[in-house]
Structure formats: structure tokens, C-alpha cells
């Protein structure tokens, strides 16, 4: 406790009480206690402030009270008090008892007798109990307490648990991007699938991603899909893959399935062009509804051979790609796409597919619909499934045309579910 200090007394405070006015006054004289007395403490100085003189001054009573004569041996000096030895000993005994009580309270309250200990954060207050057998820690009401036998699970493991590669028909997944995209668009899916134990290959088709081909020089679908077919051709005879195609990548994997049907265990079309034989991707886009004209407004044809020649590529207006392709996707992914997308070669879009039941038709197909798609509307996706029914149709709610951005975890869950489906029994 810090020593107390008061202003020096004034004339009004040293005058006789009978001379003061009858109105209440809060100025009073502080008795001076020398440090040489038998017992002195700051607390005693505080108690002296509430002397009879202070009470009279505060209450406005100007009648002077008679004080008993000082005990024998005590000093008659005004403002000082000298106690007898027995009184000083009694007071000191009471003070020691009070000090002992204060120390005991400090020990019980963690070091402070005036207030309980500061309520620190839960992580500090319960730090010792985490490694011992103490009481339970406060838990969030949104989570179930982990049982003693349950292992700690990382967030991504909730999506990847119970996936065993030796129980799958194949653990090789090949991701094929859509028009204007590249292998870069699958970065979230690649991470999730690899964490699940899959071997993932994301292909950059000709003139896409980091592929060095000039988009304007690609004149056929087979040339455009060459990086994919080269990869399939390099596989061993007993190896199979799961092909996943998005957007225009649907036509690309259909072409590859026709060429290498025995190397494709399953094919997954993600809001993709799943065409019948004799149809082109341009046919699909020409027939689908474009109520707001967004797709037409976003397309810009490139004429590298001159205006009097057919277009060589299609580019998309960067100002409209968010509404067209990424209307439900995070802004960071939209920014990634805006600096990574390349023009789409026009000749492969015009080419009609030639598919046979023996090759293309022998591969198991699955379709994943996207409900908030502004590029291939849900109605167009459903129409393609009606014309060429797949084995099973899945639906990603609240997903735009790019579910690898807007719904990566939900897309991953469906891909794992499809991969875990056992092979069909031979007829």
C-alpha cells in the first residue's frame, strides 16, 4: 500500500471548532502520528481520518465535545497519541491476527485479497487438466465430445476415410478440363483425391494450360485430344483409369473411350457435353436455351486466317466469365481463371463425334449435374441424359458450371463414391 499524502492545513482547518460556521464543512485536521510511536501503520493513519473532529465537521454539529484526559504516561501534545504498553501490545496482537487472515485469503484466492483471481482464457485455466485426469473441459455445443477410443481426425480425413486402394477397381483418375481451361482448374480436386490415396493425372489438352501448341493451328478433335490419348496409350494392358471430363472435356473423353475402351473403367461427365454419335459440341450449344444471351455476349471469335475465313478460336470476355462460369465460386478462383484461361480451338467444337456401341458403349458412364449452371443449363444436362442415359445421375446443388471451384468437397465425395463402385459382373 502506498503512503498517503495530504495538503498542508489551512487557517480554516486549524481554527477552533466553535468559530466555524454552522454549514457543513469537509475540511478537518489530520492528526500527526510520529513514526517513533510503539505502533504505526498506514492503516492506522486511515483510521485516524475518521476521528471525532471529522465526524463533527461532516455532520455540521459545532458543539465541542469534552475528551477524557489522556492516560498517565501519554503525551499531551496536540495531534499525537502515545499508548500504554499493554494497549500497544493488544493492538499489535489484533493487527497480527488481521495480517494472518489477509495472508490466508491471498493464498486461497491466488494472491489477491481484494478480488478473486483474474478469469483467464479457458486454454490457460485448464492447461494442467488436459494432460491429467482432471475435470472435463468446457466444450463447444456444436461438436460432440470425442470418445476415449476415437483417434484425432483431421478435417480433410472426414472426406477421405474408408478409401482403400486395394479394394478399388482402379485408383488412377484422369482429370480432363473443359474449353479454355487447363489442368490448373483441378487443383482442389487433385489435393483431395491424392489425400484419399488416388493417383491423379490432370491433362493439359493441346493449346490449353501450359501446353505449347498454338490454339489457332488446331484443326481436329483428335489433335486437340492428343495429350490424353498419348497418356492412355502409355498405360500397361492391365491398367485402367477413371476418366473425368468437364464442359467440352466431355467430348474429349468420349473420343478417348472410343479409341481405348478397355483402358477406361468408368467415365464421369461433370456438367459436360455427353453427346450421341453424329453430334457436335456446337450442336449442343446451338440448341440449348440462352434466355439472357449471356453465352452469346461472352463469346468472341478469333480470325487468325483473316475475316474471310472461318474462325480459328473462341475467346471469352473476361468481364463476363464470373457470371457465366463462376457465379457461385470464390473470388480468388475467379481471379486465377481470369489470368489462366486461353482461347478455345474452334475446329474441335465443330467436329461431330463418331461413337460405336462396341467401344464407347461398353464403358460405364456417370453424369454429375450442376443446378446453378449458366453455361450448360440444368435443362440441357437433363436432355443429354435422356438421349443417352448413363448408369447413374448425381446432382450437385448450388453449384455453378465449375464445381471444382464452387463445390470441391461435394464433387470429391461423388468421385470417391463412383470410384468405390464394384465392377459389374460378367454376363
Amino acid at each position: 500500500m502506498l503512503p498517503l499524502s495530504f495538503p498542508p492545513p489551512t487557517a480554516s482547518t486549524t481554527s477552533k471548532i466553535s468559530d466555524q460556521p454552522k454549514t457543513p464543512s469537509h475540511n478537518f485536521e489530520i492528526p500527526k502520528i510520529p513514526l517513533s510511536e510503539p505502533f504505526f501503520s498506514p492503516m492506522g493513519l486511515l483510521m485516524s481520518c475518521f476521528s471525532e473532529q471529522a465526524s463533527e465537521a461532516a455532520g455540521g454539529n459545532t458543539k465541542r465535545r469534552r475528551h477524557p484526559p489522556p492516560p498517565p504516561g501519554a503525551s499531551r501534545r496536540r495531534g499525537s497519541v502515545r499508548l500504554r504498553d499493554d494497549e500497544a501490545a493488544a493492538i499489535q496482537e489484533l493487527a497480527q491476527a488481521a495480517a494472518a487472515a489477509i495472508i490466508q485469503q491471498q493464498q486461497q484466492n491466488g494472491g489477491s485479497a481484494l478480488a478473486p483471481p483474474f478469469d483467464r482464457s479457458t486454454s490457460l485455466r485448464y492447461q494442467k487438466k488436459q494432460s491429467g485426469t482432471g475435470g472435463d473441459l468446457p466444450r463447444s455445443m456444436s461438436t460432440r465430445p470425442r470418445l476415449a477410443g476415437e483417434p484425432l481426425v483431421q478435417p480433410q480425413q472426414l472426406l477421405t476415410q474408408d478409401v482403400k486402394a486395394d479394394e478399388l477397381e482402379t485408383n488412377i483418375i484422369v482429370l480432363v478440363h473443359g474449353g479454355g481451361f487447363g489442368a490448373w482448374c483441378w487443383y482442389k480436386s487433385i489435393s483431395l483425391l491424392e489425400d484419399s490415396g488416388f493417383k491423379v493425372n490432370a491433362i493439359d489438352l493441346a493449346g490449353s494450360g501450359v501446353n505449347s501448341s498454338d490454339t489457332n493451328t488446331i484443326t481436329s478433335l483428335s489433335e486437340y485430344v492428343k495429350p490424353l490419348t498419348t497418356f492412355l496409350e502409355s498405360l500397361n494392358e492391365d491398367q485402367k483409369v477413371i476418366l473425368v471430363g468437364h464442359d467440352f472435356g466431355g467430348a474429349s473423353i468420349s473420343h478417348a473411350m472410343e479409341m481405348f475402351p478397355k483402358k477406361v473403367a468408368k467415365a464421369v461427365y461433370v456438367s459436360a457435353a455427353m453427346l450421341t454419335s453424329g453430334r457436335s459440341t456446337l450442336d449442343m450449344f446451338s440448341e440449348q436455351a440462352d434466355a439472357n444471351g449471356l453465352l452469346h455476349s461472352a463469346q468472341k471469335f478469333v480470325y487468325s486466317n483473316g475475316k474471310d475465313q472461318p474462325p480459328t478460336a473462341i475467346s471469352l470476355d473476361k468481364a463476363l466469365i464470373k457470371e457465366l462460369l463462376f457465379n457461385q465460386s470464390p473470388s480468388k478462383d475467379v481471379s486465377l481463371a481470369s489470368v489462366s484461361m486461353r482461347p478455345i480451338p474452334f475446329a474441335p467444337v465443330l467436329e461431330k463425334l463418331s461413337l460405336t456401341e462396341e467401344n464407347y458403349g461398353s464403358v460405364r458412364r456417370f453424369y454429375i449435374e450442376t443446378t446453378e449452371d449458366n453455361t450448360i443449363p440444368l435443362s440441357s444436362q437433363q436432355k443429354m441424359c435422356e438421349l443417352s442415359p448413363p448408369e447413374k445421375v448425381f446432382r450437385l446443388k448450388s453449384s455453378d458450371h465449375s464445381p471444382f471451384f464452387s463445390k470441391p468437397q461435394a464433387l470429391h465425395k461423388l468421385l470417391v463414391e463412383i470410384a468405390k463402385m464394384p465392377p459389374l459382373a460378367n454376363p
Side-chain angles (χ1 to χ4, degrees):
M1 182 179 293
L2 298 176
L4 299 178
S5 61
F6 294 89
T10 61
S12 58
T13 59
T14 57
S15 61
K16 294 183 179 180
I17 298 178
S18 59
D19 297 334
Q20 295 188 16
K22 295 184 179 182
T23 56
S25 174
H26 297 284
N27 295 324
F28 50 89
E29 182 179 359
I30 304 301
K32 299 180 181 179
I33 303 178
L35 295 177
S36 60
E37 297 298 331
F39 178 77
F40 173 81
S41 70
M43 183 175 292
L45 182 59
L46 283 175
M47 294 303 296
S48 68
C49 295
F50 297 95
S51 61
E52 291 182 357
Q53 290 184 3
S55 300
E56 291 176 4
N61 185 5
T62 58
K63 183 177 180 180
R64 182 165 184 169
R65 297 181 181 180
R66 293 184 177 274
H67 296 277
S75 173
R76 293 179 178 272
R77 183 178 57 182
R78 182 178 179 86
S80 62
V81 179
R82 183 179 296 276
L83 302 177
R84 296 196 306 266
D85 293 341
D86 57 342
E87 291 178 339
I91 294 176
Q92 188 168 4
E93 182 179 355
L94 291 175
Q96 290 175 349
I102 292 174
I103 294 174
Q104 183 179 3
Q105 187 176 2
Q106 289 178 340
Q107 295 174 349
Q108 292 176 353
N109 292 342
S112 174
L114 300 178
F118 179 70
D119 187 14
R120 305 200 296 173
S121 67
T122 302
S123 61
L124 294 178
R125 285 189 287 115
Y126 291 87
Q127 187 174 6
K128 294 182 179 180
K129 292 186 177 182
Q130 292 180 357
S131 59
T133 57
D136 294 335
L137 300 182
R139 295 182 181 273
S140 169
M141 297 300 292
S142 62
T143 57
R144 174 183 64 82
R146 184 174 64 89
L147 300 180
E150 293 180 342
L152 290 174
V153 179
Q154 299 299 323
Q156 284 193 351
Q157 289 180 285
L158 299 175
L159 297 172
T160 61
Q161 57 186 348
D162 297 330
V163 176
K164 297 181 180 180
D166 55 353
E167 297 179 358
L168 302 175
E169 183 179 6
T170 178
N171 68 336
I172 303 175
I173 294 182
V174 180
L175 304 174
V176 182
H177 62 80
F181 291 85
W184 52 265
C185 72
W186 298 103
Y187 77 94
K188 294 180 182 179
S189 297
I190 293 172
S191 176
L192 292 170
L193 289 170
E194 288 182 343
D195 288 344
S196 297
F198 290 96
K199 297 179 180 179
V200 186
N201 292 273
I203 304 295
D204 274 320
L205 300 180
S208 306
V210 297
N211 186 277
S212 59
S213 300
D214 183 0
T215 303
N216 295 292
T217 63
I218 299 172
T219 58
S220 66
L221 182 60
S222 60
E223 184 181 357
Y224 177 64
V225 186
K226 184 66 174 177
L228 173 60
T229 55
T230 300
F231 173 80
L232 295 176
E233 191 176 7
S234 66
L235 296 174
N236 297 329
E237 292 183 0
D238 58 342
Q239 285 184 307
K240 289 189 174 184
V241 303
I242 298 175
L243 290 180
V244 181
H246 169 250
D247 185 74
F248 186 35
S252 301
I253 67 173
S254 294
H255 179 84
M257 291 156 60
E258 179 67 25
M259 293 182 63
F260 303 95
K262 294 183 179 181
K263 293 188 176 182
V264 183
K266 301 181 182 76
V268 184
Y269 293 78
V270 181
S271 57
M274 189 175 65
L275 308 172
T276 57
S277 183
R279 290 173 58 82
S280 68
T281 304
L282 182 63
D283 294 336
M284 178 199 69
F285 282 111
S286 300
E287 295 173 0
Q288 74 181 27
D290 188 17
N292 56 4
L294 181 61
L295 180 60
H296 179 74
S297 301
Q299 293 177 346
K300 294 181 179 181
F301 291 99
V302 179
Y303 297 88
S304 65
N305 296 329
K307 287 286 187 176
D308 57 338
Q309 299 295 322
T312 56
I314 306 172
S315 63
L316 297 177
D317 188 348
K318 296 298 179 64
L320 298 177
I321 61 171
K322 177 175 176 59
E323 186 177 358
L324 179 65
L325 304 171
F326 314 113
N327 50 297
Q328 301 293 325
S329 299
S331 58
K332 64 178 181 180
D333 294 324
V334 180
S335 300
L336 172 64
S338 65
V339 298
S340 303
M341 294 189 72
R342 294 175 63 179
I344 308 165
F346 189 61
V349 177
L350 289 175
E351 187 171 332
K352 298 182 183 298
L353 296 180
S354 178
L355 308 174
T356 63
E357 189 65 26
E358 293 77 17
N359 295 335
Y360 168 81
S362 65
V363 180
R364 301 171 67 184
R365 291 178 290 117
F366 303 87
Y367 200 95
I368 298 179
E369 298 175 343
T370 48
T371 60
E372 305 300 322
D373 198 322
N374 289 337
T375 305
I376 305 178
L378 181 60
S379 58
S380 297
Q381 300 175 44
Q382 293 173 334
K383 184 177 180 180
M384 287 187 290
C385 293
E386 292 174 359
L387 294 175
S388 180
E391 182 176 324
K392 189 172 183 179
V393 178
F394 301 88
R395 176 171 293 183
L396 284 177
K397 296 182 179 180
S398 303
S399 173
D400 55 21
H401 185 62
S402 307
F404 37 75
F405 287 160
S406 60
K407 292 290 181 179
Q409 290 85 4
L411 174 62
H412 170 75
K413 183 179 179 181
L414 293 182
L415 294 178
V416 172
E417 180 179 346
I418 294 172
K420 291 171 64 176
M421 290 183 179
L424 296 176
N426 294 327

